[in-house]
């Protein structure tokens, strides 16, 4: 008679205290704001670090009761959660230094806020026994108390080991956000999408404002604000069906006049205009907003412009 089947053993769920002891390493715009948000949610921000005068000012403003310590002292004090909010290119070195100095402890969660990196950057922390978490807020920060009012409802790009997902979901909920689970290999694409949308949007808006000033408009922000808000809302709601303007209509003559005047007034704007017009034409054709015959005439105009290297 065969032995009875035994139930497969399952790992016990990780248990963390309701009130976390949190350290913030790199109290710049993101770190200081997230620290303040966690403090408002009832957690103890026990230490924070940052070298610049601006960082010290943010700590005084957003975390006035939190001691300002060295990086290793912050890591040692953060018994439950260490938030590492340093520039992308500095992240690996910071983690390696903390691990080498013995500042990290087994069971401690080490979470970085980089959108571009996943868990691989935290490998030295894992070797030291810490638990890795990539926690990127999909928001732009000023490092002021105004940021706290923008946090409720935002998304966080989260990459976490399976056993740490419940903790990550709870942490995001404490911050008032919503987790978006991003695979390790998809972090660069996730971050590229956000940078393409948010960072390039700022450049595009300022380019438009500069060209309006060149055209004699004294307050370009007054002209642009209602137009751009409507365009953004329509794009988020309708996708490519929100496309309007001369490219989506195939008005090659209008586009030619745009390019002729830009070449004389602001030649530095021509390459960006061309790249965006070509991509807009592609998308307009794909959704049926622009007939292929009209697109051909438009592309002839776009391809006939020589862009200085």
């Amino acid at each position: 008679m065969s032995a009875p089947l035994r139930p497969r053993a399952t790992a016990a769920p990780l248990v963390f205290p309701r009130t976390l002891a949190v350290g913030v390493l790199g109290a710049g715009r993101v770190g200081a704001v997230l620290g303040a948000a966690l403090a408002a949610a009832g957690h103890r921000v026990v230490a924070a670090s940052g070298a610049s005068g601006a960082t010290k000012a943010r700590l005084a403003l957003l975390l006035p009761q939190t001691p300002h310590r060295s990086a290793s002292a912050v890591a040692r004090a953060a018994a439950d959660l260490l938030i590492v909010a340093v520039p992308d290119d500095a992240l690996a070195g910071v983690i390696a230094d903390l691990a080498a100095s013995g500042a990290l402890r087994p069971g401690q969660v080490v979470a970085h806020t980089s959108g571009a990196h996943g868990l691989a950057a935290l490998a030295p922390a894992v070797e030291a026994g810490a638990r890795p978490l990539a926690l990127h807020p999909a928001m732009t920060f000023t490092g002021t108390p105004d940021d706290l009012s923008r946090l409720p409802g935002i998304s966080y790009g989260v990459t976490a080991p399976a056993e740490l997902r419940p903790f990550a979901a709870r942490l995001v909920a404490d911050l008032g956000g919503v987790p978006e689970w991003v695979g390790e290999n998809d972090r660069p694409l996730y971050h590229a999408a956000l940078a393409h949308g948010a960072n390039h949007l700022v450049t595009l808006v300022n380019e438009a404002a500069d060209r309006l000033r060149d055209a004699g408009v004294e307050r370009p922000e007054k002209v642009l604000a209602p137009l751009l808000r409507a365009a953004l809302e329509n794009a988020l709601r309708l996708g490519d069906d929100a496309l309007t303007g001369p490219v989506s209509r195939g008005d090659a003559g209008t586009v030619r006049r745009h390019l002729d005047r830009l070449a004389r007034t602001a030649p530095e704007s021509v390459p960006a205009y061309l790249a965006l017009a070509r991509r807009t034409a592609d998308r307009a054709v794909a959704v049926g907003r622009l007939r292929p015959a009209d697109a051909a005439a438009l592309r002839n105009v776009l391809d006939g412009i020589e862009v200085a290297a």
Side-chain angles (χ1 to χ4, degrees):
M1 182 176 178
S2 62
L5 294 175
R6 296 180 180 178
R8 181 178 295 177
T10 57
L14 299 177
V15 177
F16 292 90
R18 177 57 250 175
T19 299
L20 302 172
V22 181
V24 178
L25 183 56
R29 295 183 180 186
V30 177
V33 171
L34 293 186
L38 289 172
H43 300 293
R44 294 186 301 115
V45 182
V46 295
S49 75
S52 71
T55 295
K56 294 175 182 178
R58 288 191 195 97
L59 286 174
L61 182 64
L62 291 165
L63 294 166
Q65 305 303 317
T66 299
H68 188 198
R69 299 286 187 261
S70 68
S72 60
V74 171
R76 289 185 171 90
D80 302 308
L81 172 64
L82 176 65
I83 295 178
V84 184
V86 298
D88 290 350
D89 289 350
L91 178 60
V94 169
I95 297 299
D97 288 345
L98 290 174
S101 69
L104 304 177
R105 69 181 69 190
Q108 176 187 39
V109 175
V110 178
H112 72 69
T113 61
S114 167
H117 291 291
L119 302 183
L122 299 174
V126 175
E127 292 175 5
R131 298 185 174 105
L133 177 61
L135 184 75
H136 175 255
M139 176 52 63
T140 183
F141 289 83
T142 62
T144 67
D146 290 343
D147 290 336
L148 294 172
S149 65
R150 300 188 183 102
L151 291 183
I154 74 167
S155 295
Y156 288 76
V158 183
T159 304
E163 68 274 12
L164 203 60
R165 278 195 169 203
F167 172 84
R170 168 197 154 186
L171 189 62
V172 171
D174 286 348
L175 290 166
V178 179
E180 292 290 341
W181 304 103
V182 181
E184 177 76 7
N185 292 334
D186 290 329
R187 296 291 293 196
L189 183 60
Y190 157 82
H191 193 239
L194 297 183
H196 192 33
N199 303 156
H200 297 169
L201 176 63
V202 174
T203 301
L204 183 62
V205 170
N206 284 315
E207 280 279 301
D210 287 345
R211 301 296 75 80
L212 283 173
R213 291 187 187 95
D214 291 339
V217 176
E218 293 184 359
R219 295 185 57 195
E221 69 282 359
K222 183 178 179 180
V223 177
L224 289 171
L227 173 66
L228 298 187
R229 288 193 182 105
L232 178 58
E233 290 171 2
N234 288 341
L236 293 173
R237 183 168 55 91
L238 302 173
D240 285 321
D241 284 339
L243 281 172
T244 63
V247 171
S248 68
R249 294 190 298 267
D251 290 340
T254 298
V255 171
R256 185 189 300 276
R257 286 189 289 276
H258 288 178
L259 289 165
D260 287 346
R261 184 57 190 269
L262 282 172
R264 296 196 306 272
T265 304
E268 68 276 12
S269 290
V270 172
Y273 185 105
L274 284 170
L276 289 170
R278 289 181 178 122
R279 189 68 185 118
T280 299
D282 291 342
R283 299 187 72 100
V285 169
V287 297
R289 302 279 293 179
L290 178 61
R291 296 183 306 169
D294 293 332
L298 179 66
R299 288 193 178 101
N300 286 338
V301 171
L302 298 174
D303 292 342
I305 302 296
E306 294 184 0
V307 181

